[in-house]
Amino acid sequence: MTTTPIRGLGHPVKRKEDPRFIRGKGTYVDDIKLPGMLFLDIVRSPYAHARIKRIDPSKALAMPGVVDVITGAELEKAGLAWMPTLMSDRQMVLPTDRVVYYAQEVAAVVATDRYTAADAVLAVEVEYEPLTPVLDPFKALEPGAPLVRPDREQKTNHIWHWEAGDKEKTDRIFQEAEVVVSQDLYIPRIHVCSIETCGCVVNYDRATDKLTIWMTSQAPHAHRTVFSLVSGIPEHKIRIISPDIGGGFGGKVPVYPGYVIATYAALKLGKPIKWIEDRSENLQADSFARDYHIHAELAATRDGRIRAMRVHTVADHGAFDAAANPSKFPAGLFSVCTGSYDMEAAHVAVDGVYTNKPPGGVAYRCSFRVTEAVHTIERMVDILADELGMDPAEIRFKNFIRPEQFPYKSPTGWEYDSGNYPATLQKALDAIGYQELRREQAERRARGELMGIGISTFTEIVGAGPSHTFDILGIKMFDSAEIRVHPTGSAIVRIGVQTQGQGHETTFAQIVAEELGLPVENIIVEHGDTDTAPYGLGTYASRSTPTAGAATAVAARKIREKARLIAAHLLEVSPDDLEWRDYAFRVKGAPDRFKTMQEIAFAAYTNFPQGLEGGLEAVCYYDPPNLTFPFGAYVCVVDIDRGTGQVKIREFLAVDDCGTIINPMIVEGQIHGGLTMGMAPALFEEIVYDENGTMLTGTFMDYLLPTAMETPHWKTDKTVTPSPHHPLGAKGVGESPTIGAPPAIVNAVVDALSHLGVRHIDIPITPAKLYQILVEKGVAE
Amino acid sequence: MIPGPFSYRKAASLEEAIALLQQYGGEAKVLSGGQSLIPMMKFRLAEPAVIVDINRIPGLDAIEERNGILAIGGLVREVALERSPLIRQRYPIIADTAEVVADPLVRNLATIGGNLAHGDPANDHPATMLALRAEVVARGPGGERVIPIDDFFVDTFTTALAPDEILTEIRIPAPPPRSGGAYMKFERKVGDYAVAAAAAFLVLDEAGKIARAGIGLTNVYYKPIRAEAAENALVGQVPSDGLFRTAAELAAQATDPTTDLRGPAEYKRAVARTMTLRALKAALSRAQVA
Ligand SMILES: Cc1cc2nc3c(=O)[nH]c(=O)nc-3n(C[C@H](O)[C@H](O)[C@H](O)COP(=O)(O)OP(=O)(O)OC[C@H]3O[C@@H](n4cnc5c(N)ncnc54)[C@H](O)[C@@H]3O)c2cc1C
C-alpha cells in the first residue's frame, strides 16, 4: 500500500503551478519566440467618431525593416474587415470608412522588430473627418442622435430589449404597496486590467497547412471554432495554444481584432507574427466591463417585508456588442437581482445601447453581470431599511429565503440550489461584534466622527450552464475532462477549461486524487492546447469547478467502476462483493483484502480480465443539471477622514459559502484577491472619457488599481452548504468576493453619513466625491 | 509604450558629461534614475536624440553634514534617503518626503537631483526644499554656481538649470535647536502623485514662539510654491490650533490648482489646507522635542 498521502478534497495543497511562476519560469505568449518572427503593431484612432478619408502607408513602407501595412480595404477583399462577436453582433477588424471609438484599430504595421513597428505606426498617415460622437447612452436613444452603427439595417442606437419576471404582477404589487423606495444607481465602466495584456503569436506552416496560434485565451476551443468558421480553415488544421495566462477575469474571452489581423498577416506573409498589446492599448481598446445605468425600486410592507422589485437598466455596450454572455442572456444573469430575499414578484428590463466607446460588456470577475445585480439589491435593501428606520441586519433576517425553502424558485425564474443565509449572516455578525460596533458608532457620532458599518448578504449564480438554456454562439456550455491512469499508478488529467491563476493544476488533481485514491503529486493536469485537451467552453464566470470539476469527478468515477472489475479479478471475488473505502477496493466483511488503485492500474495493462479492454481511462462531457448558487455575508467597517474625504476600511470580514471546498488555501487566496478586486471599483477604479470621447484613464497613473498598501487586512471565514446536484457538492467561488465586497463597502460609507440624510453614493467613492458630500452636509474639516 | 530612436552615452566624469551636453546642445538629456525621463520617452512626450547617463560619475551620492549644512549629492537615491540614519534622526522631514515618493521600485532608482531638476510641480522634494530654504549646486561649462531654491523653479518642467548644467548637490542649513519639520501628502493610492501635499518647517525661540517658518506646497500651482503669507502669519506667534488653521487657510489661498482626475480645483485647495494644518502640527511636535 502506498505511504504517500492522497491529499484529496479539503487539503490545503500548495499550488503545483507556483514553483514555475515563483522562479520566473512560466511561459506566457510573449515568451514564445519563433525563427523569422515578425512584429505587428497597430495604428489607432485619435477620434471617438470620424470618417476616414485616406490612409497613406507610403512613408511607413519606406522605412527600413517595415514589411507590410495592412488596412481595412485589404481585409475587405479577403472578407475579413468584419468579424462576428460572441454576442452575434459584428465588429470591425479594421475599418474601411469610419472609426467609432477612441483608440480603435485603424491599420496594422508588420516589421522585423518591435521598435521599428512602433516607429512605423507613427509614420502611417491617416486623414480623418471628425464626426460628432455620442457618449451618453440616454442621448444615444434620443431621436436625431448620431448613428454609431450605420452598417446595421436598424437605423437606431438601440441594440436589444430584454426582460425577465412577471411585469403585471410586479406592477400590481407596486400599486398597492405600503412603501416604495427607488434609486438610480450607476455602475461605471471599469477594466479587467489583467497584468498580462492580450496578444498572440501566429505561425502558419505552409508544408502542413497547419495554423498554430499561441493566444491569451480563456476559451481556446471556442476560439478555434470561431476562427475556423470565420476563416474557412478546417478546424483540425487550427491549433490554439493558451499557455500560461497572466490573469483573464473575462477580458480574454472575446476575440480582438489584433488576433485576426495577426492571423491574416501570418497567412499572407508566410512568417510567424507576434502581436502583443501595450498597457495603454489594453486599457483603451480591450473589452470593458459594467457601464450599467440602473433604476431600481422595491415595494414593501411598512414592517419591512419586501414584496416586489422592479428594475430598468440602460446598458452601454459601446460601439459593438462584444460581450461574452450566453446567447439567451444579452444582459448576462442580471435577473438574479432579487438576491437572497424571498419576494412575491420581480420584473427586470434591460436595454442595450450603442455609443462611441470601446466595445464590450464582458464579465469582469462577475459571472455575467451578477456584480451589477448584487450591487442593486444590496443597496436597495439598505435604502429600504433607511426609509423604515430599520437596522440593515434586521431587515435582511426578515426577508431572507429560509433554509427550508431550497431549492428555491426565484421570481425571475432561477432555481437556487442550496443556501442557509441566516446562519451565515449570524456568524459574521457574531464574529465582528456587530452590536458593540453600533454602540461605538453612536459614541463617535456624538463626537462628530464619521464611522459606518456595511453589510452585504449576496447570492452568486455560477457554473454556466445547463445545455437546455446555455450556449455561446450555439455551442452548449458543458465542460469536459479526460483522465488516463498510467500503468504505475500516476495519471494525466486533461480538461476543457483554462486556468488563469485559479489553481486548476492543483484542485483538479485533488479531485482525481480523492476519487481514485492516488497521491495528488502523481497527477498532472493539462489544459489550454486544443490539439490535446477535450473540447470545453473555457474558464470564466466561476464555471470551472461546477462544470469541468464535475466532469473530472464523473470521469474518475467511470475509471473506478472499471477498476472495480479489475480488482474483483485480482481478488477473485465478484465485483458486487467489493466496496470502495479508504481509497481502495475492499472485500466486504474482509477489509484487509483489498487492492489499491496503483495495483489495479498496473493490472489494467498487465493482467486484466478476459473480455475487458485494457487500459484505464475515461472521458466525461458534463452537462450540469442546474447552476450553483454560492453566497456569503460580508461586514465592512469604515472611518471617514473629514479633512480629505478618504474612506479607510478599518475592518472587513467575509464569510463565504461555496459548498464543498476542494482546497481551502486556494479558496482563501481567491477570496483575498477577489475582495481587493471588489474594493477597487468601490473606491478607486473608473474609466473616464472627456466630452470628445477621448479616454483619460489610459495608464496606471490614471486608472487606479489598488495595491497591497491600499488593501486592508481581510478576515475570512466560511460556512459549508453543499450543492445538492454537483457530484462533489462544490460551487464556484472566484467571483463571490468581487460581487459581494462593493456593496458592503458602499453600505458602510453611506451608513457613516446616513444620519446626515445621505442615502446613496455611486461608485467609485473617491475622496474628491466624498469630500464634496461632506461640504454639502456641513461636516467637512 | 516604445520610445523613439535615441543614442546613449555614458559619462565617466562630470567634465565628460558637461562636454557631451555642450556637444549635443538641446538635443541631449541627462539620465539619472530615469523614472521621470524614461516614462516620458515611452509615451513619446520627450524624444531626446541623446541620453547622457551620469549614473557612473563618482562622488555624487554622498549624504553628509559639513560646516553647518547638510549636503546631499545629486545622485542620492530615494531609498538611500529613506534609510540614512543621519536623515532619519536630524532631518525627518526629508525622510517623510522620500518615503512617499512613488513606490519602492521607483525609489530604488529615482534620485533627489532628478526629482528637483525635472521641475515637476507634482514631485515631492521641491516643497520640502522650499520649506527648508535649500540651495542647489549646479556645474556647467563655466564652473559651479549656487542657486537659492526660491530662484530654482521657473515654470512647469523648467528650472534655472541651463541645458548644459548638471545638478551636483543640494545644500540644506543644519537644523537649529527647537526646530522640526514634517511632510504630509495626500495621494489617491500609493505611487500616485499628490492630490496636494505640504511641507512645514518650524523653528521656535526660547520662549516657545515661532521664530522661523517654512511652508512648501506640492501639485497645487504651475510650479512648486512656498506659501509666504502663511509663513509670515506664523512668525512671532505662539503656536496654537487657531494660528495653524489661519496659516493653513492662507496656504490654501496661495494655491491655484487645476481640475483633473484627482479632483476639482476647490477640492485640491481644501486638501492643501488640511495637509498644511497636519504638517504644521507634526512639525511643532517634533520642534518641541528637538
Ligand atoms: C510610477 C511613478 C510614480 C512616481 N511618483 C512620484 C511621487 O509620488 N513623487 C515624486 O516626487 N516623484 C514621483 N515619481 C518621479 C520619480 O521620483 C522621478 O524619478 C524623479 O522625480 C526624477 O528623478 P530621476 O532620478 O528618476 O530623474 P530622471 O528621470 O533621470 O530625470 C528627470 C529629468 O531631470 C533631468 N535630470 C536628472 N538628473 C539631473 C541632474 N543631476 N542634473 C540636471 N538634470 C537632471 C533629466 O534630464 C530629466 O529631464 C514617480 C515616478 C514613477 C515612475
Side-chain angles (χ1 to χ4, degrees), chain A residues 119 278 641 643-644 705 710, chain B residues 1 44 189-190 267 274 278:
Chain A
D119 291 341
D278 71 22
D641 182 341
T644 61
L705 281 191
E710 285 71 46
Chain B
M1 288 188 220
R44 302 204 182 209
K189 59 168 272 195
V190 74
Y267 170 65
T274 298
R278 290 177 187 178

Side-chain angles (χ1 to χ4, degrees), chain A residues 41 114-115 118-119 122 278-281 641-646 648 684 688 696-707 709-710 767-769 771-772 781, chain B residues 1-6 42-44 47 104 186-193 195 245 260-264 266-275 277-278 281:
Chain A
D41 200 354
R114 182 71 188 87
Y115 295 86
D119 291 341
L122 296 176
D278 71 22
R279 176 59 56 197
S280 287
E281 292 181 291
D641 182 341
R642 290 170 44 211
T644 61
Q646 190 181 31
K648 291 181 183 154
F684 299 95
V688 184
L696 301 179
T697 47
T699 75
F700 280 163
M701 283 316 283
D702 303 305
Y703 189 81
L704 303 182
L705 281 191
T707 70
M709 297 296 286
E710 285 71 46
K769 189 189 280 182
Y771 191 81
Q772 182 55 34
E781 201 174 74
Chain B
M1 288 188 220
I2 298 219
F6 62 91
K42 286 190 169 184
F43 286 118
R44 302 204 182 209
E47 296 198 60
F186 184 67
E187 54 190 2
R188 297 170 302 172
K189 59 168 272 195
V190 74
D192 189 20
Y193 291 93
V195 171
R245 279 177 194 278
D260 59 21
L261 293 175
R262 289 188 180 82
E266 253 336 285
Y267 170 65
K268 293 181 177 182
R269 192 170 277 141
V271 174
R273 184 176 59 224
T274 298
M275 291 300 115
L277 179 63
R278 290 177 187 178
K281 285 181 178 170

